[in-house]
Amino acid sequence: DGEYLLHKVTVRPDRSVPRRERIMAGDVEDFIRQTPNRRLLGTNFYLQLHNMARPGSQRWSSRTLRSLGEAPVILDTAMVNSSGESMRAYMNNHGFFNSSWTYRIDTTRKKAKVTYFIHQGPYYRIGNTDYIFRDDNLRVIVSRDSVNRLYSQGDVLDLTVLDAERTRLVNHLKDNGHYQFSPRDNISYMVDTMAGGRRADVTMEIKQ
């Protein structure tokens, strides 16, 4: 009593955002923690196999049915909330700050359908870019390599790209003899959105 079989999960993109900037359902589906049982030819074939096994039986036939089938996926609202928060983090990391999400659960005949609605915040573009060097010996090595930087002025701010650039810089410095560098200990970045106009200034700090 009070439990529902998860029947369907849908993600609704934010249609108030222009399509070229819109985060689509396929971009966030990997963050959904709970998905319905697999279906075959429109039927719950794998769930039916599981249910054919005798409860608690360790006979070969029951064990085989359980291994081939799938236990019923029962709706868990904690997983719904966890999924939504992961989607929000994804949107923020890709430059859509102050994003949010909501959901709706529709139930009928012990089945539940979950619909996620994602609400994108305004995106930011990279403005000024700069470096801070705590060791001037590294300035020349990094400056000569700036042409290979993974981001540039005017790009949509994406924190995953900044993380990738930090790793790339570490590898470049290691190739030039600085073997003890690590992305988290020796390079950090700062994002300043106070300039207004949905612009974000990015500064990479290269430590000793």
Side-chain angles (χ1 to χ4, degrees), residues 31-199:
F31 300 111
I32 297 175
R33 305 294 175 85
Q34 198 177 36
T35 56
N37 292 101
R38 290 181 298 157
R39 299 178 70 84
L40 181 66
L41 300 177
T43 68
N44 277 329
F45 174 74
Y46 299 98
L47 176 59
Q48 291 167 5
L49 279 181
H50 179 273
N51 289 342
M52 289 169 62
R54 297 183 63 180
S57 173
Q58 294 303 312
R59 296 181 61 179
W60 177 85
S61 57
S62 291
R63 286 188 287 108
T64 301
L65 288 169
R66 279 193 290 267
S67 65
L68 294 176
E70 290 181 350
V73 178
I74 305 301
L75 174 67
D76 185 336
T77 54
M79 287 191 175
V80 172
N81 282 284
S82 178
S83 302
E85 284 303 299
S86 294
M87 293 181 196
R88 184 182 65 81
Y90 173 86
M91 290 187 285
N92 287 339
N93 286 340
H94 283 75
F96 298 94
F97 293 165
N98 301 315
S99 294
S100 61
W101 64 281
T102 55
Y103 71 92
R104 187 182 72 222
I105 298 177
D106 298 304
T107 59
T108 177
R109 291 189 304 230
K110 304 297 288 182
K111 293 181 180 180
K113 175 184 175 182
V114 179
T115 305
Y116 294 93
F117 301 90
I118 56 178
H119 311 288
Q120 291 177 226
Y123 70 88
Y124 284 74
R125 291 193 180 275
I126 293 176
N128 296 325
T129 60
D130 200 3
Y131 295 97
I132 295 176
F133 294 94
R134 300 302 181 188
D135 184 344
D136 281 338
N137 293 322
L138 304 178
R139 185 184 301 274
V140 174
I141 297 174
V142 173
S143 297
R144 286 177 177 173
D145 185 61
S146 61
V147 67
N148 295 315
R149 192 172 58 197
L150 300 179
Y151 62 89
S152 59
Q153 191 174 39
D155 289 350
V156 173
L157 177 65
D158 188 331
L159 301 187
T160 62
V161 173
L162 298 187
D163 285 335
E165 171 64 12
R166 185 165 60 175
T167 300
R168 190 194 70 80
L169 277 175
V170 164
N171 291 334
H172 177 66
L173 288 167
K174 285 182 177 180
D175 290 342
N176 283 270
H178 296 272
Y179 304 114
Q180 301 303 317
F181 262 74
S182 70
R184 296 199 175 277
D185 293 337
N186 300 105
I187 299 180
S188 61
Y189 58 79
M190 294 168 284
V191 178
D192 182 4
T193 60
M194 299 300 292
R198 294 200 304 182
R199 191 187 77 185

